[in-house]
Amino acid sequence: MYDLLIKGVRRLTDSESIDIGIKQDRIVAIGSISDSALKTIDGKGRVVLPPYVESHIHLDTALTCGFPAFNQSGELFEGIKLWNEYRQTMTEKEVTSRALDVIRTMAGQGVLFMRSMVDVSDPNLIALKALLQVKKQVAPFMALQLVAFPQSGLSSQAGREQLDQAIALGIDGISAVPHLEPTREKGVASLVYCFQRAQESNCFLHIFCDEIDDLQSRYLEVVADLAYESGLKERVTVSHLNAMSYYNEAYVRKVISLVKRAEINVVTAPLISSVMQGRLDSWPKGRGITRVKDLHEAGVPVAIAHDDFLSPFYPLGTGSLLNACHMLIHLAHMTGLDDFQDVFEMITSTPAKILNIDNYGIKKGCLANLLLVTASDAHDLIRRQPVAEVVISQGHIIAETPLQQTVLHVADTLKLNDEKLDFV
Ligand SMILES: [Zn+2]
């Protein structure tokens, strides 16, 4: 007797119909199942997917767009100024409410794992204290990792002390923003400090790296070398790497080989990068994205994140990782048939490895975290971005979204003789 039985679904890359038996929080059987269950879901031939994994978001800045003012220039520095103003009025209750709103929205879309940045430049660490509580509150259905993000840098004594305080309060990961430090030397020093604290505290590293359209910004080589020399390797993730799109080819080859040697991970955020980068270029303007295709082809784990959600840095965002994939496909020129499956893995299995998630996937013995979606393959999934009709977390149905149906009242006048038009 199963607790939950899903009948008649198929995998994204396979046409074979399967049933999935779940007991408590685990997948215990996959195949053709005739046993009974406390609850049975009719899969209706839909696709079963592992949950989406958000590898880089800012829950503390989410839903603050327009307060105290809209970012009119769209530039990072106006975003930072607005955020610093907003921070003065922030309360734990208000941060909690916004974070839970985003988590509800994204869980309903099938995101069951999330890594959120938390700005620790605030001396009172209000957002951090709020999000540490949120993490506990959502744990029954979502695994939330928190990263201490020093928006104002680590050059000052205060910046370093606040990072240390975040570690003492139980943060999971720590970060640095070397390209925003006053000098190259201070940028390198911030990375050395961050690596040292990671080793002492057992935190993982998630570095904001070269998020600037400046070909002179070369911190990726420093991170890669520190990761290799320290042995921290896959516990190190770098996000953005926008400067790489301006590097010369010889240097790109060198730096990708360093990244490969270090076994570090990359996270790209195509939604925010598409609008924030390239602003100061003369025409032709950069595409705003790092060298995803080259990194992927070199075997570097690359994940796609949604990142900013209605914040002073990005005025849009729905929480949809499929939307982020759709943008990546455009910006990274990844439109080959195989690319769609590869890009789908950038929001599922690859970030699952980066976040070090155990028992992830649709296999016997894995945690019963599953989505049911109407799609034929990864190409169709990313093109149409369909809703997750059923979201199952640890064996429990936590969200259901019925498919919308359009009734076309002019259908008869659009008939082409007796031919059936059925390709959309
Ligand atoms: Zn970010």
Side-chain angles (χ1 to χ4, degrees):
M1 170 80 87
Y2 300 104
D3 294 322
L4 184 61
L5 178 60
I6 307 169
K7 295 282 288 179
V9 286
R10 60 176 193 82
R11 297 175 193 274
L12 192 60
T13 52
D14 201 341
S15 57
E16 188 195 350
S17 178
I18 52 169
D19 308 327
I20 299 175
I22 295 164
K23 271 188 192 169
Q24 294 183 338
D25 61 354
R26 299 272 157 178
I27 298 171
V28 291
I30 297 181
S32 178
I33 301 173
S34 51
D35 298 348
S36 58
L38 292 174
K39 183 174 174 60
T40 301
I41 299 174
D42 178 2
K44 298 178 190 159
R46 287 172 289 190
V47 160
V48 59
L49 303 176
Y52 304 131
V53 181
E54 169 59 18
S55 50
H56 179 126
I57 192 168
H58 299 252
L59 288 175
D60 54 352
T61 64
L63 311 184
T64 65
C65 177
F67 302 99
F70 209 83
N71 183 342
Q72 293 290 3
S73 70
E75 287 174 29
L76 175 68
F77 297 104
E78 184 174 345
I80 293 175
K81 181 179 157 283
L82 289 169
W83 168 239
N84 285 340
E85 282 170 38
Y86 186 91
R87 244 178 23 193
Q88 310 305 319
T89 62
M90 215 162 56
T91 64
E92 276 187 48
K93 196 174 167 195
E94 178 263 344
V95 176
T96 303
S97 156
R98 285 189 286 107
L100 290 177
D101 236 1
V102 172
I103 288 170
R104 266 194 293 269
T105 301
M106 292 181 73
Q109 295 176 3
V111 177
L112 297 182
F113 299 92
M114 191 181 274
R115 177 178 282 186
S116 175
M117 312 299 126
V118 195
D119 182 6
V120 292
S121 305
D122 160 28
N124 300 315
L125 297 176
I126 288 170
L128 174 62
K129 287 172 189 162
L131 292 180
L132 283 167
Q133 292 306 314
V134 167
K135 178 181 165 173
K136 284 187 199 153
Q137 197 177 337
V138 302
F141 65 91
M142 180 177 295
L144 176 62
Q145 296 181 355
L146 297 174
V147 177
F149 162 53
Q151 176 79 74
S152 306
L154 293 172
S155 310
S156 70
Q157 182 69 17
R160 292 192 294 275
E161 279 174 11
Q162 275 152 228
L163 188 78
D164 291 347
Q165 240 184 302
I167 294 170
L169 286 171
I171 201 86
D172 303 299
I174 57 176
S175 187
V177 266
H179 54 280
L180 295 184
E181 299 289 1
T183 63
R184 162 83 184 175
E185 289 71 22
K186 285 184 175 172
V188 173
S190 75
L191 290 172
V192 170
Y193 184 76
C194 214
F195 269 79
Q196 183 196 327
R197 294 301 288 122
Q199 280 183 304
E200 290 161 357
S201 64
N202 207 27
C203 286
F204 62 78
L205 285 147
H206 188 112
I207 307 287
F208 284 65
C209 195
D210 302 319
E211 189 185 10
I212 189 165
D213 301 329
D214 171 12
L215 58 84
Q216 308 283 350
S217 186
R218 292 185 169 192
Y219 291 104
L220 179 56
E221 62 181 20
V222 182
V223 176
D225 198 49
L226 285 167
Y228 179 73
E229 293 293 344
S230 64
L232 284 173
K233 295 185 170 184
E234 72 284 347
R235 286 182 61 75
V236 180
T237 298
V238 281
S239 60
H240 305 307
L241 312 182
N242 305 93
M244 190 193 272
S245 63
Y246 295 87
Y247 297 158
N248 65 61
E249 288 305 308
Y251 184 64
V252 167
R253 283 200 194 190
K254 176 195 160 180
V255 81
I256 289 181
S257 72
L258 289 175
V259 168
K260 186 89 179 91
R261 180 184 75 151
E263 297 173 39
I264 63 176
N265 312 297
V266 170
V267 171
T268 185
L271 294 172
I272 172 82
S273 290
S274 71
V275 293
M276 195 157 271
Q277 306 309 133
R279 292 256 172 187
L280 304 176
D281 290 4
S282 56
W283 294 98
K285 288 179 183 285
R287 297 181 71 81
I289 194 89
T290 193
R291 303 273 296 253
V292 173
K293 212 170 176 175
D294 304 273
L295 287 160
H296 176 64
E297 280 170 9
V300 175
V302 180
I304 298 169
H306 184 285
D307 203 349
D308 295 87
F309 191 133
L310 270 175
S311 76
F313 305 95
Y314 184 63
L316 302 166
T318 60
S320 165
L321 276 168
L322 291 176
N323 185 217
C325 286
H326 195 262
M327 180 61 82
L328 187 282
I329 293 270
H330 288 81
L331 296 180
H333 285 151
M334 291 182 74
T335 49
L337 190 55
D338 293 341
D339 289 338
F340 290 94
Q341 180 65 29
D342 290 355
V343 167
F344 168 72
E345 286 166 16
M346 292 179 185
I347 57 165
T348 50
S349 55
T350 304
K353 278 192 206 115
I354 295 175
L355 269 64
N356 200 20
I357 300 166
D358 289 330
N359 300 306
Y360 176 90
I362 306 168
K363 284 183 293 222
K364 203 173 150 183
C366 285
L367 277 170
N369 295 317
L370 307 166
L371 315 178
L372 298 191
V373 178
T374 300
S376 50
D377 53 21
H379 176 206
D380 183 44
L381 185 75
I382 294 170
R383 182 180 75 85
R384 291 189 303 106
Q385 303 163 48
V387 295
E389 291 161 58
V390 182
V391 180
I392 298 169
S393 173
Q394 299 174 41
H396 298 282
I397 299 171
I398 64 151
E400 289 178 273
T401 307
L403 271 191
Q404 280 191 334
Q405 293 265 321
T406 302
V407 178
L408 192 62
H409 297 296
V410 292
D412 283 350
T413 61
L414 297 174
K415 275 190 181 147
L416 184 65
N417 298 328
D418 290 334
E419 267 181 63
K420 205 168 157 241
L421 292 175
D422 194 19
F423 50 79
V424 224

